[in-house]
Amino acid sequence: MDISSDVWGQLALEASQVYIDDGTGGPAKSPYAGTTIEKLPDKVLLNIFSYLSHKEICSMSRVCKKWRTIAYNTSLWYSVSLRPEISGLHVTSLDFLLSLISVRFGSSLRYIELPIELITHTVLHELANRCPNLTHMLLDFSTAMQLHDFSELQAFPTKLKYLCVCLSEVIFMEGFMRKIYNFINGLEILHLIGTYEKVEEEEEEIYEVINVHKLKSATPNLRVINLYGINFIDDSHIDAFSSNCIQLECLAVNYCSKVTGSTMKTLFQRSKRLRCLLMNQTNLISEYLMQVEWEKSSIQELDISGTDLSTECLIDMLVRIPNLKFLSAGQMNGFNDTVLSSFMEQGNVRNLIALNLDYSDNLSDEGLYKFLSRYGHQLQGLSLAGMPHITDQLWNTVLPVLNNVIIMVMGTQERLSGNVLVDQLMDGIATNCPRLERLELKWDPDNLRFSDKSQKAIDIFRVKCLKLKCLVLSDGRYYEIVKANFERADRLTVVRTTTCCSVSNYYLLQNYKDLIFN
């Protein structure tokens, strides 16, 4: 049937009218009819803007004068990243940045990230003078081939609690660091980030681009130290920090390949409050760790993944640590059924809430079943990935006792001879793990078997696991089905692929938020 444009216009006009009951039985026009976003109070607009990224806020500021005023509100700029690859914000003019600091950031600024081209003495002076509440700062020198001249640097933010410095491979930082030592004695959290990912296989000359021995003297109040992927960090640097930082609670030296553990005994003798020690992919020597007085330590969280510690050493450690809550010991040939059995029978497992044994090929499914059937009820995090012999059959057997689990990682990217019945597995997870927040299935898509009724299993899983924040799957047909299911339920950000996301028990660390960098 042909309807003229006038009739369409009348229908649209009537549809736009909002009516309410006027009390006489007849419709009355709603007082909200015709209301637009322009008529919202500034406080409401400000709250809406707070959900946008800074790049989006900058785009919105071009709409009108009112929105520009809202976008310039300093409360929207309390945490700012000026690294283009992170935030999308490109600040090419130092003068423009200086005006931003004084006009837009001001006293509201708490956290800022600066790339190498914006780290100058004038910028640091302005931050010190205009941003009295700045407590968190990241300085990215990682791409530096030459530093600015800091000879005139006379001021630096004095209330910093958190400082992250991304080191360059070749630029020596001491000239800059010497200028700021007097301003950073209130630091509680320090991150020094190396260039582990850039290291080539060929052995090259290693430069100590920052003087850790001087730095530790300027930072006596450190609680958390993260030295990540730095090719010159060794045991002497750990010894240096422990000699001056009596408040130390958490030490991470992941991917620092020169760390062997030779000063570990001294570390625990000095740092009585140390409860978290992360040494993933270091070159620990069993003899050194067996000399540590573990029974007298306060250690609760331990990561020794990817190290070559012997079976004897592992047993010696685990039976002597009095209050272990978090253990990550994946990619270790020495971790076998004997270690797990000794830990159960002679160690204190009652407080363990997180266990990662990824890629531990010398563990049997029988040994894992014995452990999980006894202690699975107390676990909040469990990661058993990268082991082809650990199939969905074991998981389906132990799921009934994993009723407190928050994080789970399972499966392997290797092609299996058998198949994984993923519908049955998801149904078991939905039935037994109501507290689940993060789940990763690493199995190859070709090994996943599901039926035409798979949507029902996904629906049940989605409805029962309401706390789920992240579900990671290998890219394939099943991933597409699950992703579409969650998107139809307006849970757009839950389902992700293994190519861009991974799940870790690290979320359960007491100092997890302090350890986040980049």
Side-chain angles (χ1 to χ4, degrees):
M1 182 174 69
D2 184 32
I3 301 178
S4 69
S5 59
D6 289 339
V7 175
W8 278 118
Q10 182 62 29
L11 290 172
L13 178 62
E14 291 175 358
S16 67
Q17 304 298 315
V18 180
Y19 294 94
I20 59 175
D21 188 348
D22 64 354
T24 64
K29 192 172 181 181
S30 167
Y32 301 106
T35 299
T36 67
I37 195 171
E38 280 296 316
K39 295 185 180 180
L40 289 175
D42 287 357
K43 287 185 178 180
V44 176
L45 276 174
L46 185 62
N47 188 48
I48 293 172
F49 272 49
S50 69
Y51 289 92
L52 303 176
S53 68
H54 287 135
K55 186 178 180 181
E56 292 168 332
I57 290 174
C58 290
S59 298
M60 295 299 101
S61 69
R62 301 170 187 165
V63 172
C64 61
K65 289 183 178 179
K66 182 176 181 179
W67 284 25
R68 183 177 179 84
T69 301
I70 298 293
Y72 271 45
N73 191 297
T74 57
S75 66
L76 295 174
W77 298 87
Y78 67 91
S79 176
V80 181
S81 173
L82 298 179
R83 296 192 293 168
E85 69 276 14
I86 302 298
S87 64
L89 296 181
H90 294 259
V91 178
T92 56
S93 166
L94 283 175
D95 290 336
F96 180 56
L97 175 57
L98 294 175
S99 68
L100 285 176
I101 293 172
S102 60
V103 175
R104 195 174 304 186
F105 299 166
S107 59
S108 295
L109 188 66
R110 300 290 193 277
Y111 176 92
I112 191 167
E113 296 181 1
L114 295 173
I116 175 61
E117 60 271 16
L118 299 180
I119 306 173
T120 68
H121 73 274
T122 53
V123 169
L124 296 175
H125 280 175
E126 197 71 2
L127 286 171
N129 295 328
R130 302 281 186 176
C131 306
N133 296 312
L134 182 62
T135 57
H136 292 61
M137 177 181 280
L138 183 149
L139 303 176
D140 189 355
F141 294 97
S142 61
T143 59
M145 298 305 292
Q146 183 177 351
L147 293 184
H148 293 282
D149 181 11
F150 293 102
S151 59
E152 297 182 20
L153 181 62
Q154 302 298 328
F156 192 78
T158 56
K159 292 187 178 180
L160 289 183
K161 300 296 182 185
Y162 171 109
L163 177 63
C164 179
V165 180
C166 301
L167 303 176
S168 166
E169 289 182 284
V170 294
I171 299 300
F172 293 93
M173 303 288 299
E174 193 52 34
F176 168 73
M177 297 300 295
R178 192 163 47 243
K179 288 288 185 177
I180 71 170
Y181 283 147
N182 292 333
F183 302 97
I184 60 174
N185 57 13
L187 276 185
E188 296 180 7
I189 303 164
L190 174 66
H191 293 259
L192 297 180
I193 310 305
T195 53
Y196 170 80
E197 291 84 357
K198 298 180 181 179
V199 174
E200 299 178 358
E201 292 185 3
E202 297 180 7
E203 195 70 32
E204 296 181 358
E205 188 173 357
I206 296 175
Y207 301 100
E208 190 166 339
V209 297
I210 193 168
N211 192 325
V212 172
H213 295 277
K214 290 185 178 179
L215 176 60
K216 61 95 178 179
S217 299
T219 53
N221 297 306
L222 289 177
R223 294 185 300 103
V224 178
I225 300 174
N226 180 23
L227 311 175
Y228 179 89
I230 306 176
N231 54 10
F232 65 81
I233 288 291
D234 58 27
D235 299 279
S236 68
H237 300 107
I238 295 176
D239 187 62
F241 275 121
S242 68
S243 67
N244 196 53
C245 304
I246 60 173
Q247 310 291 335
L248 190 60
E249 299 172 2
C250 176
L251 174 64
V253 289
N254 293 339
Y255 295 92
C256 293
S257 58
K258 287 195 170 184
V259 172
T260 65
S262 62
T263 59
M264 206 65 64
K265 181 178 180 179
T266 307
L267 169 68
F268 280 102
Q269 289 174 342
R270 293 170 174 169
S271 305
K272 299 297 184 181
R273 299 184 181 185
L274 186 65
R275 65 166 184 260
C276 177
L277 183 58
L278 310 178
M279 301 180 289
N280 191 349
Q281 300 293 334
T282 55
N283 281 304
L284 297 177
I285 295 175
S286 299
E287 180 185 352
Y288 294 144
L289 268 65
M290 292 175 72
Q291 294 172 2
V292 175
E293 296 175 311
W294 295 104
E295 60 277 2
K296 296 181 180 180
S297 74
S298 301
I299 200 72
Q300 297 178 7
E301 300 164 339
L302 181 65
D303 186 354
I304 48 176
S305 296
T307 60
D308 291 327
L309 296 178
S310 66
T311 298
E312 181 186 7
C313 175
L314 290 169
I315 294 174
D316 179 76
M317 290 170 55
L318 294 179
V319 301
R320 288 196 290 137
I321 297 177
N323 187 26
L324 194 60
K325 295 182 177 180
F326 178 106
L327 175 63
S328 183
Q331 305 176 58
M332 300 184 71
N333 291 328
F335 206 110
N336 53 31
D337 287 354
T338 304
V339 175
L340 207 55
S341 177
S342 298
F343 187 29
M344 282 194 294
E345 302 303 329
Q346 302 174 48
N348 181 9
V349 194
R350 292 191 302 273
N351 297 317
L352 190 72
I353 63 168
L355 180 65
N356 177 346
L357 298 175
D358 291 350
Y359 301 94
S360 296
D361 293 331
N362 292 327
L363 280 170
S364 69
D365 53 354
E366 182 182 355
L368 285 169
Y369 173 74
K370 288 180 179 178
F371 184 88
L372 295 175
S373 60
R374 187 185 299 185
Y375 297 106
H377 66 279
Q378 66 192 47
L379 293 180
Q380 296 177 24
L382 178 61
S383 185
L384 301 176
M387 293 181 279
H389 60 289
I390 305 300
T391 65
D392 55 323
Q393 183 176 354
L394 174 65
W395 282 103
N396 283 320
T397 305
V398 299
L399 279 174
V401 299
L402 299 178
N403 52 314
N404 286 311
V405 76
I406 296 174
I407 298 171
M408 278 199 301
V409 183
M410 59 182 73
T412 177
Q413 294 173 332
E414 296 181 42
R415 291 293 299 272
L416 304 176
S417 56
N419 293 317
V420 176
L421 303 178
V422 70
D423 286 349
Q424 181 181 348
L425 182 63
M426 296 294 268
D427 184 64
I429 295 172
T431 303
N432 297 291
C433 309
R435 299 181 60 198
L436 189 66
E437 295 181 7
R438 301 177 188 276
L439 172 66
E440 181 172 359
L441 307 182
K442 289 182 177 289
W443 281 295
D444 186 292
D446 291 335
N447 281 125
L448 298 180
R449 289 293 175 267
F450 48 94
S451 66
D452 295 335
K453 298 181 180 179
S454 188
Q455 287 285 1
K456 183 177 180 181
I458 300 169
D459 284 337
I460 294 172
F461 172 75
R462 174 173 48 76
V463 171
K464 288 193 174 182
C465 296
L466 292 174
K467 295 183 178 182
L468 192 70
K469 300 175 183 177
C470 180
L471 171 57
V472 181
L473 301 166
S474 297
D475 203 351
R477 187 176 165 218
Y478 187 71
Y479 162 77
E480 297 295 341
I481 293 173
V482 177
K483 184 175 177 65
N485 184 292
F486 273 77
E487 288 180 346
R488 284 195 297 272
D490 290 329
R491 296 175 69 180
L492 305 180
T493 61
V494 173
V495 184
R496 309 169 193 180
T497 68
T498 52
T499 56
C500 61
C501 186
S502 63
V503 172
S504 167
N505 283 346
Y506 269 21
Y507 292 103
L508 297 173
L509 291 173
Q510 294 183 57
N511 294 101
Y512 171 71
K513 291 184 178 180
D514 295 332
L515 288 166
I516 297 174
F517 65 92
N518 271 6

